[in-house]
Amino acid sequence: MRRISILGATGSIGQSTIDLIARAPDAYRVVALTGARNVAQLARDAIRLRAEIAVTADDASLPDLRAALAGTGIAAAAGQAALIEAAARPADWVMSAIVGAAGLAPGLAALQTGATLALANKESMVCAGPLMLATAAQHNARLLPVDSEHSAVFQALRGEDIATVERVIITASGGAFRDWPLERLATATVREASSHPNWDMGQRITIDSASMFNKALELIETREFFGFAPSQIEVLVHPESLIHAMVGFRDGALMAHIGPHDMRHAIGHALHWPHRTDLPVARLDLAAIGALTFRAPDHARWPALRLAAWVMDLRGLAGAAFNAAKERSLDHFIAGQIAFPDMARLVADVLDRMVNDASLLSAPITLDNVAAIDHLTRIMVDEAKATLA
Ligand code: NAD
Ligand code: MG
């Protein structure tokens, strides 16, 4: 029986992971499930999957979690230290599906046990890619990509010599505002930004799709995960979102990965890797779909893409600063305090101020330094917000 833990079990990726695990209960022993405020869901899943422990990131939710698990023999805990302790429990396969930079420390704790880490939490690669890779190497742990584009690249690279790769193309749906007139973006509401044309995801990543901050994170993730040079990585707008990524080789061949809009494909690929096995995902009827279309990305509409190119060149702690600036700006947009285009303005402004102080971004990539730059960046975003016209 494989021992499995799911960090961020109550979220969109976590629930899709549970769907796959629950279909074969005899194959898995669930060690830890973690969530935040949604403790009713967390407790229900912990009971259904007979987990050893359920952990909420939210201290105030512990009494509810304890009450929901009373008499089941399942341990309950709360807080950051408990999350890390749960992630460090011996397991064979751990899903990293917490949203945001909060996923970094638990993911590292899982890698330190030598577990295979299925990485949906792209932010940990963006904030601390070199630390993630070094920790995995040091503990003989394997990192498997779950983001659909990165799973697609990973699959297209199977059996290939990575030195023969010329370029990597990750696709973007274009999100909610793909076809909006540019001048209308200033009036975009949170609700409008929270609806995705093709995927059903958590609210934050859905808004990040409309702004392409999600694609910006994925560009950086591609660089960090696979080690390609920034000049080798491209974004292509593909409204149907059926091709997730393409890998171009020296001989001109372009290997495209085509799959349904269902994260259970990428999750299942990481769960069963290196084998392929049946997954409950729809089979595409390409004749019915008829056509796949592509557009060059419009940098005026999606300034986040240029910011990503900048961050890929800067490296060091620039990824952590970029992610924190993005997260904080997104908080302000969701709270109704800034307009949609202000998110990219704030991120650009704060990065600009940081590169002027060279020592800030060139400190070594450690958990402490990532936390420090994250904290500082959020303060700088708030300061910059106060000066927005
Ligand atoms: P979500 O918001 O649906 O779920 C997030 C999970 O993290 C929940 O379990 C929540 O309780 C937990 N959480 C939130 N804040 C936390 C904190 N501070 N500390 C600990 N736990 C916390 O998000 P999601 O859409 O499932 O995305 C999860 C990750 O996967 C993100 O990094 C996202 O970018 C990535 N991802 C998601 C999709 C998708 O289709 N949803 C696709 C590719 C990558
Ligand atoms: Mg993706």
Side-chain angles (χ1 to χ4, degrees):
M1 282 225 284
R2 289 174 80 200
R3 295 164 303 172
I4 304 269
S5 288
I6 305 175
L7 313 175
T10 54
S12 163
I13 294 287
Q15 290 292 298
S16 293
T17 308
I18 287 176
D19 176 83
L20 293 178
I21 305 278
R23 286 165 195 265
D26 297 336
Y28 306 107
R29 206 177 87 216
V30 174
V31 179
L33 297 182
T34 83
R37 292 214 185 95
N38 195 352
V39 289
Q41 178 76 51
L42 182 62
R44 251 195 320 276
D45 287 329
I47 293 166
R48 178 161 71 113
L49 298 174
R50 300 165 195 261
E52 278 174 25
I53 184 167
V55 181
T56 165
D58 178 39
D59 289 307
S61 298
L62 184 58
D64 288 346
L65 183 61
R66 281 220 172 100
L69 291 175
T72 63
I74 299 169
Q80 185 65 14
L83 264 185
I84 290 173
E85 188 276 327
R89 288 194 176 209
D92 301 298
W93 189 90
V94 177
M95 166 54 76
S96 167
I98 289 171
V99 64
L104 174 60
L108 284 170
L111 285 175
Q112 281 162 357
T113 70
T116 292
L117 189 71
L119 192 71
N121 178 263
K122 62 193 78 182
E123 295 89 346
S124 38
M125 230 44 213
V126 171
C127 295
L131 178 61
M132 292 288 288
L133 295 183
T135 305
Q138 192 184 345
H139 297 276
N140 245 324
R142 188 169 284 282
L143 261 173
L144 294 173
V146 172
D147 214 342
S148 57
E149 297 76 5
H150 305 76
S151 175
V153 171
F154 186 71
Q155 293 181 52
L157 285 173
R158 274 179 92 148
E160 302 286 354
D161 174 1
I162 201 155
T164 64
V165 173
E166 208 167 53
R167 61 179 177 151
V168 171
I169 301 170
I170 61 173
T171 60
S173 69
F177 305 143
R178 178 179 66 212
D179 299 315
W180 277 35
L182 274 186
E183 56 282 4
R184 205 179 142 198
L185 291 180
T187 67
T189 64
V190 173
R191 184 203 275 260
E192 286 165 335
S194 303
S195 80
H196 194 281
N198 301 333
W199 304 88
D200 184 10
M201 309 184 283
Q203 183 190 37
R204 297 180 71 87
I205 184 173
T206 302
I207 300 174
D208 284 348
S209 296
S211 62
M212 284 232 196
F213 268 113
N214 181 50
K215 214 45 59 178
L217 296 179
E218 291 181 356
L219 283 168
I220 303 165
E221 182 187 12
T222 304
R223 171 177 177 64
E224 298 297 340
F225 205 107
F226 300 102
F228 298 119
S231 60
Q232 290 178 290
I233 312 168
E234 303 166 27
V235 170
L236 182 66
V237 178
H238 169 41
E240 296 82 12
S241 299
L242 291 175
I243 296 181
H244 303 301
M246 299 181 237
V247 179
F249 294 89
R250 254 151 73 174
D251 60 359
L254 205 48
M255 304 294 284
H257 180 283
I258 310 185
H261 303 146
D262 188 336
M263 285 306 295
R264 291 177 306 171
H265 169 73
I267 296 166
H269 185 266
L271 181 60
H272 299 296
W273 185 88
H275 308 290
R276 284 193 188 274
T277 185
D278 297 346
L279 289 175
V281 300
R283 271 43 177 176
L284 292 178
D285 179 349
L286 289 173
I289 291 160
L292 299 181
T293 60
F294 306 97
R295 305 179 202 172
D298 170 355
H299 288 272
R301 182 179 300 276
W302 294 300
L305 297 178
R306 282 227 197 289
L307 294 173
W310 191 20
V311 171
M312 284 194 285
D313 283 334
L314 289 169
R315 299 203 76 192
L317 292 171
F322 176 72
N323 180 66
K326 189 282 292 181
E327 287 191 13
R328 190 66 181 154
S329 306
L330 179 59
D331 292 340
H332 291 316
F333 175 66
I334 291 175
Q337 296 182 355
I338 63 173
F340 182 80
D342 289 337
M343 289 192 284
R345 280 189 201 119
L346 287 178
V347 174
D349 190 47
V350 167
L351 275 181
D352 204 39
R353 285 205 278 146
M354 283 190 158
V355 289
N356 286 327
D357 184 349
S359 63
L360 267 186
L361 300 179
S362 56
I365 303 177
T366 62
L367 206 45
D368 284 348
N369 286 344
V370 167
I373 201 89
D374 183 285
H375 183 72
L376 173 67
T377 305
R378 287 169 202 255
I379 293 170
M380 288 172 70
V381 168
D382 291 0
E383 284 168 6
K385 169 177 163 266
T387 66
L388 272 180

